[in-house]
Amino acid sequence: MTGMPGLFDPVDIGGVQVRNRTVLPSMTTRLADDDGYVTDATLAYYRARAAGGVGLITVEMASPEIAGKHRFRELGIYHDRFLPGLRRLTAMLHEAGATASVQLGHGGSRARRAVSGVTPVAPSAVPTPVFEIESEIALPEAMSPARLEETTAAYVAAARRAQQAGFDVVELHGAHGYLISQFLSPMENTRTDAYGGSLENRARFGLEILRRIRTEVPGLPVIFRIGVEDFFDGGLTVEEGIEVGRWAARDGAAAVSVTAGHYRSLPAAERMIPPMAYPEATFLDYAARMKQVVDVPVIGVGRLGDPEVAARAVAEGRLDLVALGRPLIADPRWVAKTRAGEPVRRCLACNHCITNMRSGAQLSCVVNPETGRELDYEGVAPAAGRRIVVLGAGPAGLSYASLVADGNDVTVLERADRPGGAFRLTGLAPRFNDVQAAEPTFAAYVEELERDCRRKGVVLRYGTEASAELLRGADVVVVATGARYRFGLGALVPRLLHTRAARSRLAHRLFASPRVRDALYHRLRRGEGAALAAGLPVDDGAEVVVIGDALRAGKAREAITSAFDAALDRTAVPAARS
């Protein structure tokens, strides 16, 4: 691979140099305010990723006109009143060394009237299932020639506004079932005029917007994002998608961003953002195919969060830039850590970030409680100079140990012969966070977390119970022993998860029930940390803190959040002492 580029080499996009080949793709955060203005929380979220070393930050989807607004608290760019906040955002990104882009995306038929206040528009009046906090069937108006021109002009105005705000690049969203993608789909575009029928006609709307921006907003490079495969009958096929990408490069796109999937995808819309059961580098072959037909940089996405996989994709020339959405939600310092050869906090690809956001909440993450709460953790850090003993090497215990390791003497005691605790069993269950579970994902997360602890000097002792000798001299003892199943189920559940029954259709149906999962996480388990803490042989004056499932049996996100809060001295819960 001599002479091939590396992940951390700079790259040119339309005359704009990006410091490395990593991209934060557009992902809705709901951190704007109700009117769409940039907030301090917006700035803090993007600052963390820019400071973490990302090359190109693509700010979340913003509609060029109010009719395309598809989510509450969506970032605004459709009016000049948003410019001051957007300028603050780009200034911050530039100060942190990142290249700033914004995705111009129009919801089309997926822009609910309840959100935008107006009737949605689309290529054709095709009823469309939409979910934004609640489900409905949207009935859009087919766009007249005059309406097409109005929307095209709105895209151009939004691009000009982006340039005025200081964005270096803009991205046109032509994927995932939004307006440009709707024009490309034969099922959603039943027009018989120059914008429907043949692929050339169906691509006309998006390509005209691209050419108009290039002509009317000179000096602003445009990335064209294309979903090359819709995964449903009547959707765009991969051969067509590659051809549209080629046309976009021909018509002046500075780069082509390749993704796949659609809200109508089969077997489910999750294919747009492939969860853990899908293979790593899910869409990489599509990016590689695009590189064969265009002479501009190609951005690839889809389960590229393993640093080795990402680096190899660039080095082998299969793409030019790696888009890391969920991995950068899980670890905003993914780039800096990878560059330094340090372990990263691995994304589970559980899609909590997506499903929770779609339910109306702001963006959040199972393994990184700071996501969306960056301001809550701003300026907080663990106390130093303490001897800390952590009981339990599950996600909560290892997270706590990793966070407090710098400046402290930290030992983790685990009665089992390996780390991970009951979390490893989660990968054997049929489902996790409403997606099919995959054991290797959980193992990789635990292994990297353990490796990070070792790198920071944490002493890890497996097959070891807490004793007076081991706890002597500790300033802080953290109980992270997890929860126990009631009614003798502690021995039965692991056995069942290791059998074929755990992967049966019946098991999948049971685990799909929120009531069943709630019972398994909460009602059938109990945290015994408080009782254990009360009897620990610790020195007088030692602080005992209970975290994770040991404090309150629940889901992984709550357990890891309690570890972060305790480690960073936000809401530590001291245990009662007898």
Side-chain angles (χ1 to χ4, degrees), residues 345-510:
R345 187 184 302 116
R346 292 291 288 271
C347 167
L348 296 177
C350 67
N351 283 7
H352 162 87
C353 50
I354 308 303
T355 55
N356 201 52
M357 179 277 296
R358 285 179 180 154
S359 72
Q362 67 185 37
L363 190 66
S364 60
C365 177
V366 168
V367 300
N368 181 17
E370 294 185 43
T371 294
R373 301 171 59 207
E374 285 80 10
L375 290 176
D376 293 347
Y377 289 94
E378 197 168 71
V380 299
R386 301 180 296 176
R387 180 168 182 262
I388 301 172
V389 178
V390 180
L391 309 183
L398 290 178
S399 293
Y400 182 97
S402 173
L403 290 166
V404 302
D406 293 336
N408 291 298
D409 176 1
V410 183
T411 298
V412 176
L413 307 179
E414 169 58 56
R415 63 168 64 96
D417 60 359
R418 62 176 185 168
F423 197 57
R424 287 183 178 270
L425 294 175
T426 304
L428 301 174
R431 301 188 70 78
F432 179 81
N433 270 358
D434 293 321
V435 301
Q436 183 179 333
E439 193 276 336
T441 298
F442 297 91
Y445 166 74
V446 171
E447 287 162 9
E448 287 296 272
L449 192 51
E450 182 199 37
R451 192 161 73 90
D452 191 47
C453 286
R454 291 190 185 279
R455 184 188 68 84
K456 292 177 177 178
V458 174
V459 176
L460 297 160
R461 300 185 60 170
Y462 298 115
T464 304
E465 295 278 357
S467 66
E469 180 181 358
L470 292 174
L471 298 180
R472 188 174 299 121
D475 301 300
V476 181
V477 176
V478 178
V479 180
T481 49
R484 302 288 182 90
Y485 273 100
R486 304 172 188 262
F487 316 122
L489 294 175
L492 179 61
V493 170
R495 290 176 186 171
L496 285 174
L497 289 175
H498 281 92
T499 67
R500 291 183 180 179
R503 297 290 177 177
S504 67
R505 291 183 180 179
L506 175 60
H508 275 275
R509 285 199 297 268
L510 288 173

Side-chain angles (χ1 to χ4, degrees), residues 30 48 71 127 162 207 232 248 260-261 269 358 360 366 400 484 510 514 540 543:
R30 293 194 196 270
R71 297 205 187 282
L207 295 178
F232 69 93
R358 285 179 180 154
V366 168
Y400 182 97
R484 302 288 182 90
L510 288 173
D540 289 341
E543 181 183 4

Side-chain angles (χ1 to χ4, degrees), residues 205-216:
F205 177 67
L207 295 178
E208 282 185 349
I209 293 170
L210 168 63
R211 292 193 295 266
R212 287 274 299 272
I213 293 174
R214 296 287 294 129
T215 300
E216 298 180 36

Side-chain angles (χ1 to χ4, degrees), residues 300-324:
V301 72
R303 298 220 60 207
L304 294 168
D306 182 333
E308 291 185 7
V309 171
R312 188 165 58 247
V314 174
E316 291 177 348
R318 305 189 72 189
L319 43 65
D320 298 290
L321 296 97
V322 177
L324 303 160

Side-chain angles (χ1 to χ4, degrees), residues 512-526:
S513 165
R515 183 176 300 177
V516 170
R517 292 203 304 272
D518 179 69
L520 289 171
Y521 285 126
H522 299 278
R523 290 185 283 115
L524 294 179
R525 300 165 75 226
R526 63 183 180 192

